[in-house]
Amino acid sequence: MKRFKILSLILSLILIASFGLTGCTQPAAEAPTPAPVPAPAPAPEPPKLDYPTRPINAVVGFSAGGPTDVIARGIVPILQEIVGQGIAITNTPGAASATAASGVLNTEANGYTLFFGSEIMSVWQTMGTMDLSPIRDFIPIKLVAEATPVLAVPPDSPFESAEEFIQYAIDHPGELTIGTAGPGTVPHISGLLLEQKLGCKFTFVPHQGGGPAVTAVMGGQVDATIEMVQSMVEAHKGGNLKILASFTNDTIPGLDDIVPIGTVYEELSEYIPYGPYFGLFAAKGTPQEIIDYLEEKMNEAMKDPAWDEYCTRIYLTQIDYSDEEAIEYLTNWTSKAAWLLYDMGAAKSSPEDFGIERLK
Amino acid sequence: MVEYELIYTLYIFIGCVIGLVMGALPGLTVTMTIVLVVSLTFGWEMIPALAFIIGAFAGGVMGGSISAIALNIPGTAAAVSTVFDGYPMKMNGEANNALGISLFVSMVGGIFGLIVLGFVGPMLGTIALKFGPQEYFLITMWGITLVAVLSQGKMTKGLIAAFLGVFVGMIGMDPITGLMRFTMGTKVLSGGINYIAAMIGLFGMKEVLVQLKKSKTFKVDENYKIKDLFPKFKLIKTLIPTMTWSAVIGWIIGLLPGTGGDIGSLVAYGATKSIIKNPSKKFGEGAYEGVAAPETANDAAIGGALTTMLTLGIPGDSITAVIIGAFYMHGLLPGPTFMFTEKKYFYYILIFLGIGIIFAYFTGLFGANLMLKVLKFPKWALVPLITLLCIIGSYALNNNMNDVLIMLFFGFLGYIFERCKYPVAPIVLGIILGPMIETNFRQALIGSKSFGGLLISFATRPLALIILALIIGSFVLQFFTFKPKSSEPEEKKAKI
């Protein structure tokens, strides 16, 4: 009897271990091929593209309801109609979406697992999250939208304008607290930009995402919060917070009362508008025909009036970059963000270590 | 102003059944259920979509406790504390009572939350904004004192387990600086340890291993009829005080943007433990109060979370965050003004929630009945079934194989702990609360700029002071063991 018990225990252990091992082998097998492998030249012979024959999976690295997810769910259903195959959105949150990205890279690069990424991809390397890069490890199929960060203060704040706020921060370095969506995010970078260019000093309070940062400013837990305009505009209208300025050179269409900070501080104008980007990515190594196919379909999807209306309603700026243009855009963006974070002492490692060059 | 169409009832009902089934399956959290439901409703009109979503919300919360009691696997995070006493009750052969109480008080809690939302919600919504990192820090610290209860007399072992949990919670990305901690450079750990995966392992998978060792079957000998699931009136009467304070606690904690039903039920459990001196059985060994408190609280939290969402346009918990995302998807920007200009959504949500909670109760009865039948399966069928559920559940969390590995690891860890007579519940408590304690403490510290400033801020913030007083009060209460002269231990009126 005793022997049976031991035997059955061992058997079940083996069973479970084998489950575990099969889970392990996938990443392990892929480990020896380091990510920066140039895409092999695709064989030119197939005359007709046999894609997609089954549903596609679009992975979002943040939880449902967040900005990246909301934007993905705006464009993907339109794309799905055009492609004629189901495209499921899967949320795999964790490690500033790097968990999802490495998951995508661990699957076969056949265009059936795509990554819907955002600007945080640009700072993974310098922030020490993971050694992954949007250009080296991914192919941007299409960058679709940019959001606009704004600076807001609590409703009872003594500051009525961005000048007053920044002047106070220059006179009292480190006294004002600014809530951000987390280290290395656009709100953080935007705040650092103010510090670097205007000579003021803030204390940054990182939150677990944009939502909590907005809540914090509404309740006066911080002196200000930088977040995307769509998550604050309703509270601004309702008097639950005051938006002092947007990080743009021109007014946001439909929001004329928000002062563009570029008109107040000329020295900032060349660095802005500087908002997070969102786009559809495929793993490096995906056949070029598939990329071309998806790009073409994305072009169609973005012409849909529903997408246009969607963007207008939630104050997104539409962008339309693919191929070389997208690479150039990403290179610039990454370089700006990485060096700013590094220069201001917020980054873990130098962008140079990853071959990110400083912009002229 | 509000036109109710009969078809909405059907949507609520279907949403409710989906929610209940998914909530009862371990790993499929209420949040995920809502995500699924929201994505199904993409092309719909907003109102029917809302009916569907709210139905799933009510059903999901109800479903989570069924598997907590029956299988020792909390279906959702909000049902963790239901395991503490619910499973022992089942082991004592009181599965029907446990399920009956749990479903009934859930309904009561839900309706309480709804009524408060309907009448005073709009006025109270702004309280949520007064909670800063200091207050969250204190609440979560209060939550972690539950270790004392969950250790069941083995304080040192309980503390060791809790510290292990806190440590595990630190793995992954540092919330303040964004650097990686304790990941040993691996990608598996870079996303941190998902506490639900750990929870499924520690409760569900551990149970499988324990069962493999034992030759005895699960103990459901009697034949239950569905009417056995209606709780006895006498039983409910004794639980009224527990339900009262638990509902209030659950509602308030649901209201806070940073916390939801999971923390609400933990705090309600802790409060009940410190208030009630002689429960029906010892806490952790199958006390009725121990099931009633968390179950009332996690359903009352629905009303609280919706209040924050409706009055401020900010999510009260992760579930309402998804619902707000649904508003975005329909091109509506939720916010404080939105709920005044589009007041009809407020009424629709109230109506849908009311119907949803009642539906959830009755479908829950059938579900629980079905679950009791499943428990009568022979062990050779049941054990693999639970294993399968654990694996699927942990994979489905984030569609990530890493979580399955983590779940298995914690399954073995839980088994070893159990063999060495260490309590496992404090580990879960540590993993859930550790990161919240840390983040809020560090945020508070950054905000007040020095440690001294932080200490002063506890005294200068009125809400922090109140919470501090409540915490100290609950400790003092521990020392004055009220020896009730009569047999009515619940005479002591709650001070919360």
Side-chain angles (χ1 to χ4, degrees):
Chain A
M1 191 64 207
K2 185 99 197 258
R3 219 184 302 154
F4 272 116
K5 255 192 216 164
I6 294 166
L7 191 69
S8 66
L9 202 67
I10 290 170
L11 275 176
S12 57
L13 277 179
I14 292 170
L15 178 79
I16 290 158
S18 63
F19 265 117
L21 283 176
T22 46
C24 273
T25 44
Q26 281 177 338
E30 231 114 319
T33 38
V37 176
E45 83 284 85
K48 200 163 170 294
L49 182 65
D50 195 20
Y51 171 89
T53 51
R54 56 186 169 92
I56 302 167
N57 191 10
V59 182
V60 170
F62 294 96
S63 37
T68 312
D69 180 70
V70 163
I71 293 164
R73 283 173 204 273
I75 188 78
V76 168
I78 305 174
L79 180 69
Q80 167 176 303
E81 298 257 307
I82 293 168
V83 171
Q85 269 288 356
I87 307 181
I89 294 178
T90 316
N91 300 86
T92 309
S97 79
T99 307
S102 71
V104 170
L105 293 179
N106 278 340
T107 62
E108 204 188 327
N110 55 8
Y112 285 101
T113 311
L114 304 173
F115 184 63
F116 198 91
S118 63
E119 92 296 343
I120 200 80
M121 299 170 84
S122 285
V123 299
W124 282 335
Q125 288 177 318
T126 25
M127 290 305 287
T129 313
M130 218 176 259
D131 186 9
L132 291 178
S133 140
I135 311 162
R136 191 192 65 194
D137 303 301
F138 286 94
I139 305 170
I141 298 169
K142 184 68 89 183
L143 300 177
V144 297
E146 253 181 15
T148 308
V150 293
L151 173 76
V153 292
D156 53 356
S157 166
F159 304 110
E160 292 295 335
S161 70
E163 288 107 310
E164 282 176 36
F165 185 78
I166 285 165
Q167 194 54 49
Y168 188 87
I170 293 172
D171 299 340
H172 305 84
E175 203 172 292
L176 294 177
T177 51
I178 292 191
T180 71
T185 56
V186 167
H188 186 203
I189 295 171
S190 308
L192 291 174
L193 186 71
L194 294 182
E195 285 191 345
Q196 194 187 38
K197 301 296 166 205
L198 305 177
C200 46
K201 187 97 190 79
F202 302 108
T203 301
F204 293 101
V205 186
H207 290 80
Q208 307 296 312
V214 175
T215 311
V217 74
M218 283 165 81
Q221 310 298 339
V222 287
D223 294 314
T225 278
I226 300 175
E227 239 311 292
M228 300 314 126
V229 65
Q230 62 267 30
S231 49
M232 299 224 262
V233 64
E234 286 297 318
H236 173 67
K237 286 179 185 162
N240 290 44
L241 52 79
K242 291 188 286 189
I243 297 182
L244 296 185
S246 63
F247 284 80
T248 52
N249 288 319
D250 308 299
T251 47
I252 305 166
L255 298 171
D256 298 331
D257 63 323
I258 299 175
V259 184
I261 204 162
T263 60
V264 185
Y265 295 98
E266 296 260 310
E267 54 268 54
L268 288 177
S269 58
E270 61 173 304
Y271 298 96
I272 52 179
Y274 189 68
Y277 59 81
F278 301 93
L280 190 64
F281 292 79
K284 204 89 183 202
T286 309
Q288 190 59 38
E289 308 89 87
I290 292 180
I291 303 286
D292 291 342
Y293 173 85
L294 285 169
E295 189 194 321
E296 190 195 316
K297 298 295 169 189
M298 276 301 272
N299 279 333
E300 266 182 70
M302 288 169 71
K303 287 200 189 82
D304 194 303
W307 169 242
D308 189 51
E309 195 190 334
Y310 190 76
C311 287
T312 316
R313 271 182 162 175
I314 62 173
Y315 304 100
L316 286 176
T317 315
Q318 289 188 47
I319 55 173
D320 183 354
Y321 300 130
S322 45
D323 301 325
E324 289 305 308
E325 237 184 335
I327 304 268
E328 196 193 325
Y329 174 89
L330 291 171
T331 315
N332 273 336
W333 210 104
T334 306
S335 165
K336 260 203 232 174
W339 281 104
L340 186 63
L341 285 166
Y342 181 67
D343 290 342
M344 299 306 286
K348 187 189 174 198
S349 25
S350 166
E352 236 158 31
D353 301 351
F354 305 101
I356 299 171
E357 284 171 35
R358 196 186 275 275
L359 280 189
K360 292 290 162 318
Chain B
M1 180 167 176
V2 178
E3 286 165 27
Y4 190 84
E5 287 172 36
L6 214 58
I7 189 81
Y8 297 157
T9 319
L10 185 70
Y11 288 133
I12 301 172
F13 180 71
I14 297 171
C16 209
V17 173
I18 294 178
L20 198 79
V21 171
M22 288 192 60
L25 292 174
L28 302 177
T29 60
V30 187
T31 316
M32 287 176 50
T33 312
I34 305 292
V35 171
L36 177 91
V37 167
V38 165
S39 57
L40 285 178
T41 61
F42 184 76
W44 300 18
E45 292 286 307
M46 191 67 209
I47 305 292
L50 258 184
F52 199 46
I53 294 168
I54 298 284
F57 194 173
V61 177
M62 195 76 88
S65 27
I66 296 179
S67 50
I69 293 166
L71 303 175
N72 199 23
I73 313 173
T76 60
V80 183
S81 7
T82 311
V83 168
F84 303 156
D85 279 285
Y87 192 66
M89 269 181 86
K90 192 214 119 187
M91 295 311 261
N92 300 341
E94 287 192 280
N96 65 327
N97 273 342
L99 286 166
I101 291 176
S102 140
L103 291 172
F104 184 79
V105 301
S106 289
M107 180 172 68
V108 174
I111 291 186
F112 170 85
L114 180 71
I115 292 171
V116 181
L117 164 64
F119 288 100
V120 291
M123 285 172 277
L124 287 180
T126 41
I127 295 180
L129 290 179
K130 298 279 168 257
F131 277 76
Q134 277 89 343
E135 286 78 16
Y136 281 115
F137 168 71
L138 287 174
I139 291 182
T140 42
M141 278 307 275
W142 196 3
I144 208 139
T145 57
L146 259 182
V147 171
V149 188
L150 301 176
S151 307
Q152 291 160 15
K154 292 166 286 204
M155 200 55 205
T156 321
K157 288 182 169 181
L159 280 174
I160 290 171
F163 275 113
L164 182 74
V166 172
F167 168 70
V168 166
M170 285 185 185
I171 296 175
M173 209 157 100
D174 180 314
I176 302 295
T177 63
L179 298 179
M180 288 294 171
R181 298 189 298 197
F182 309 116
T183 60
M184 295 177 277
T186 59
K187 286 181 178 170
V188 180
L189 293 175
S190 64
I193 303 282
N194 187 312
Y195 70 87
I196 301 179
M199 187 178 88
I200 297 173
L202 283 174
F203 290 115
M205 199 62 215
K206 177 210 78 185
E207 196 58 31
V208 166
L209 297 171
V210 170
Q211 290 301 330
L212 283 177
K213 175 114 197 346
K214 284 185 199 155
S215 50
K216 264 200 333 222
T217 48
F218 284 96
K219 198 173 157 187
V220 185
D221 314 320
E222 300 137 77
N223 266 318
Y224 291 120
K225 294 212 181 58
I226 201 150
K227 73 172 193 319
D228 295 323
L229 284 172
F230 287 103
K232 285 154 204 77
F233 179 69
K234 233 169 74 188
L235 199 61
I236 292 299
K237 218 175 77 182
T238 62
L239 293 175
I240 287 174
T242 310
M243 277 153 63
T244 317
W245 64 69
S246 301
V248 175
I249 292 173
W251 193 82
I252 292 175
I253 291 192
L255 185 76
L256 305 181
T259 47
D262 43 355
I263 309 290
S265 55
L266 281 172
V267 173
Y269 185 86
T272 307
K273 164 69 173 55
S274 55
I275 294 167
I276 292 187
K277 283 301 147 201
N278 48 357
S280 52
K281 272 209 181 67
K282 266 170 78 180
F283 280 101
E285 291 171 16
Y288 297 142
E289 292 85 352
V291 174
E295 280 303 306
T296 319
N298 68 22
D299 278 74
I302 301 181
L306 284 174
T307 308
T308 320
M309 181 185 106
L310 291 171
T311 52
L312 300 169
I314 50 178
D317 58 9
S318 58
I319 300 160
T320 38
V322 181
I323 298 181
I324 285 192
F327 276 109
Y328 271 109
M329 263 183 261
H330 286 87
L332 303 162
L333 282 189
T337 46
F338 168 74
M339 282 307 163
F340 288 111
T341 49
E342 308 268 342
K343 217 159 174 128
K344 62 174 180 187
Y345 291 111
F346 181 77
Y347 294 115
Y348 273 121
I349 287 177
L350 279 187
I351 297 168
F352 292 158
L353 187 60
I355 300 172
I357 288 169
I358 308 226
F359 275 165
Y361 178 63
F362 288 102
T363 42
L365 283 178
F366 282 102
N369 195 33
L370 208 67
M371 188 62 104
L372 287 177
K373 294 223 162 44
V374 170
L375 284 185
K376 297 185 71 174
F377 281 10
K379 199 162 150 183
W380 56 262
L382 203 54
V383 168
L385 183 74
I386 299 176
T387 315
L388 207 62
L389 281 178
C390 289
I391 292 172
I392 296 172
S394 49
Y395 178 77
L397 277 177
N398 283 330
N399 309 299
N400 199 331
M401 200 61 201
N402 294 347
D403 289 332
V404 180
L405 298 181
I406 289 168
M407 184 277 291
L408 290 173
F409 172 80
F410 278 95
F412 283 108
L413 188 78
Y415 180 69
I416 296 166
F417 264 54
E418 182 130 320
R419 290 308 303 272
C420 304
K421 305 252 179 319
Y422 278 82
V424 292
I427 307 181
V428 178
L429 206 66
I431 304 178
I432 296 180
L433 296 174
M436 296 185 75
I437 292 175
E438 188 204 343
T439 311
N440 286 303
F441 180 77
R442 289 173 67 183
Q443 277 178 355
L445 197 57
I446 293 172
S448 42
K449 295 180 185 80
S450 67
F451 190 68
L454 177 67
L455 290 182
I456 294 168
S457 73
F458 283 123
T460 53
R461 298 173 68 104
L463 270 172
L465 209 57
I466 294 173
I467 300 170
L468 206 57
L470 284 173
I471 295 176
I472 294 170
S474 80
F475 276 101
V476 173
L477 237 109
Q478 301 278 342
F479 290 105
F480 296 102
T481 356
F482 295 110
K483 291 258 167 62
K485 290 171 193 93
S486 65
S487 56
E488 294 266 85
E490 286 85 14
E491 282 290 290
K492 293 280 149 322
K493 195 71 201 128
K495 57 171 184 47
I496 297 158

Short mmCIF file of all heavy atoms in Angstrom, two decimals, chain A residues 61 69 86 109 121 161 163 175 180 228 245 272 284-285 291 355 358:
data_model
loop_
_atom_site.label_atom_id
_atom_site.label_comp_id
_atom_site.label_asym_id
_atom_site.label_seq_id
_atom_site.Cartn_x
_atom_site.Cartn_y
_atom_site.Cartn_z
N GLY A 61 -0.05 44.64 -24.61
CA GLY A 61 0.75 44.40 -23.40
C GLY A 61 0.22 45.07 -22.15
O GLY A 61 0.91 45.12 -21.14
N ASP A 69 -5.03 49.54 -25.12
CA ASP A 69 -6.10 48.60 -25.40
C ASP A 69 -7.27 49.29 -26.11
O ASP A 69 -7.80 48.78 -27.08
CB ASP A 69 -6.58 47.98 -24.08
CG ASP A 69 -7.70 46.98 -24.28
OD1 ASP A 69 -7.40 45.91 -24.82
OD2 ASP A 69 -8.84 47.28 -23.93
N GLY A 86 -10.91 36.52 -38.47
CA GLY A 86 -11.01 37.02 -37.11
C GLY A 86 -9.66 37.52 -36.61
O GLY A 86 -8.64 36.89 -36.84
N ALA A 109 7.41 33.60 -36.47
CA ALA A 109 7.15 34.88 -37.13
C ALA A 109 6.40 34.64 -38.44
O ALA A 109 6.98 34.71 -39.52
CB ALA A 109 8.46 35.62 -37.37
N MET A 121 7.75 50.92 -25.67
CA MET A 121 8.72 50.05 -26.33
C MET A 121 10.06 50.75 -26.50
O MET A 121 11.12 50.12 -26.47
CB MET A 121 8.23 49.66 -27.73
CG MET A 121 6.93 48.91 -27.79
SD MET A 121 6.35 48.78 -29.49
CE MET A 121 7.26 47.37 -30.06
N SER A 161 -1.96 79.23 -14.28
CA SER A 161 -1.36 79.10 -15.61
C SER A 161 -0.07 78.30 -15.50
O SER A 161 0.50 78.14 -14.42
CB SER A 161 -1.05 80.48 -16.18
OG SER A 161 0.02 81.06 -15.46
N GLU A 163 2.81 79.18 -16.60
CA GLU A 163 3.94 80.04 -16.20
C GLU A 163 4.07 80.10 -14.68
O GLU A 163 5.14 79.95 -14.12
CB GLU A 163 3.77 81.49 -16.71
CG GLU A 163 3.95 81.66 -18.19
CD GLU A 163 2.62 81.90 -18.87
OE1 GLU A 163 1.69 81.09 -18.60
OE2 GLU A 163 2.49 82.87 -19.62
N GLU A 175 9.94 71.14 -4.76
CA GLU A 175 8.83 71.22 -3.81
C GLU A 175 7.52 70.71 -4.41
O GLU A 175 6.71 70.11 -3.71
CB GLU A 175 8.66 72.67 -3.36
CG GLU A 175 7.98 72.79 -2.01
CD GLU A 175 8.01 74.21 -1.51
OE1 GLU A 175 9.13 74.70 -1.17
OE2 GLU A 175 6.96 74.84 -1.47
N THR A 180 2.83 60.79 -12.23
CA THR A 180 3.04 60.24 -13.57
C THR A 180 2.47 58.83 -13.63
O THR A 180 2.18 58.23 -12.61
CB THR A 180 4.53 60.18 -13.95
OG1 THR A 180 5.13 59.15 -13.17
CG2 THR A 180 5.23 61.49 -13.70
N MET A 228 -2.54 61.89 -20.57
CA MET A 228 -3.07 62.16 -21.89
C MET A 228 -4.39 62.93 -21.78
O MET A 228 -5.17 62.74 -20.84
CB MET A 228 -3.31 60.84 -22.64
CG MET A 228 -2.04 60.03 -22.83
SD MET A 228 -0.67 61.04 -23.41
CE MET A 228 0.56 60.66 -22.17
N ALA A 245 -1.93 73.35 -19.45
CA ALA A 245 -1.29 73.46 -20.76
C ALA A 245 -1.21 72.10 -21.42
O ALA A 245 -1.24 71.06 -20.75
CB ALA A 245 0.13 74.02 -20.61
N ILE A 272 8.44 69.52 -29.10
CA ILE A 272 7.07 69.06 -29.05
C ILE A 272 6.40 69.29 -30.40
O ILE A 272 6.94 70.07 -31.20
CB ILE A 272 6.28 69.78 -27.93
CG1 ILE A 272 6.44 71.30 -28.06
CG2 ILE A 272 6.72 69.31 -26.57
CD1 ILE A 272 5.68 72.10 -27.04
N LYS A 284 10.28 40.53 -36.05
CA LYS A 284 11.28 40.54 -37.12
C LYS A 284 11.35 39.13 -37.69
O LYS A 284 11.32 38.15 -36.96
CB LYS A 284 12.64 40.93 -36.53
CG LYS A 284 13.58 41.51 -37.54
CD LYS A 284 13.40 42.99 -37.61
CE LYS A 284 14.25 43.68 -38.64
NZ LYS A 284 14.43 45.09 -38.33
N GLY A 285 11.47 39.04 -38.99
CA GLY A 285 11.54 37.72 -39.61
C GLY A 285 10.23 37.32 -40.27
O GLY A 285 10.16 36.31 -40.96
N ILE A 291 3.83 41.36 -44.38
CA ILE A 291 3.92 42.74 -43.91
C ILE A 291 3.22 43.66 -44.91
O ILE A 291 2.40 44.52 -44.54
CB ILE A 291 5.40 43.18 -43.75
CG1 ILE A 291 6.14 42.24 -42.80
CG2 ILE A 291 5.49 44.63 -43.31
CD1 ILE A 291 5.82 42.40 -41.36
N GLY A 355 23.36 51.24 -28.88
CA GLY A 355 23.52 51.83 -30.20
C GLY A 355 22.49 52.88 -30.52
O GLY A 355 22.19 53.13 -31.69
N ARG A 358 22.56 59.91 -30.21
CA ARG A 358 21.98 61.17 -29.76
C ARG A 358 21.56 61.98 -30.99
O ARG A 358 22.29 62.06 -31.98
CB ARG A 358 23.03 61.93 -28.97
CG ARG A 358 22.49 63.06 -28.14
CD ARG A 358 23.64 63.80 -27.53
NE ARG A 358 24.10 63.21 -26.28
CZ ARG A 358 23.55 63.48 -25.09
NH1 ARG A 358 22.52 64.28 -25.00
NH2 ARG A 358 24.03 62.94 -23.99
#
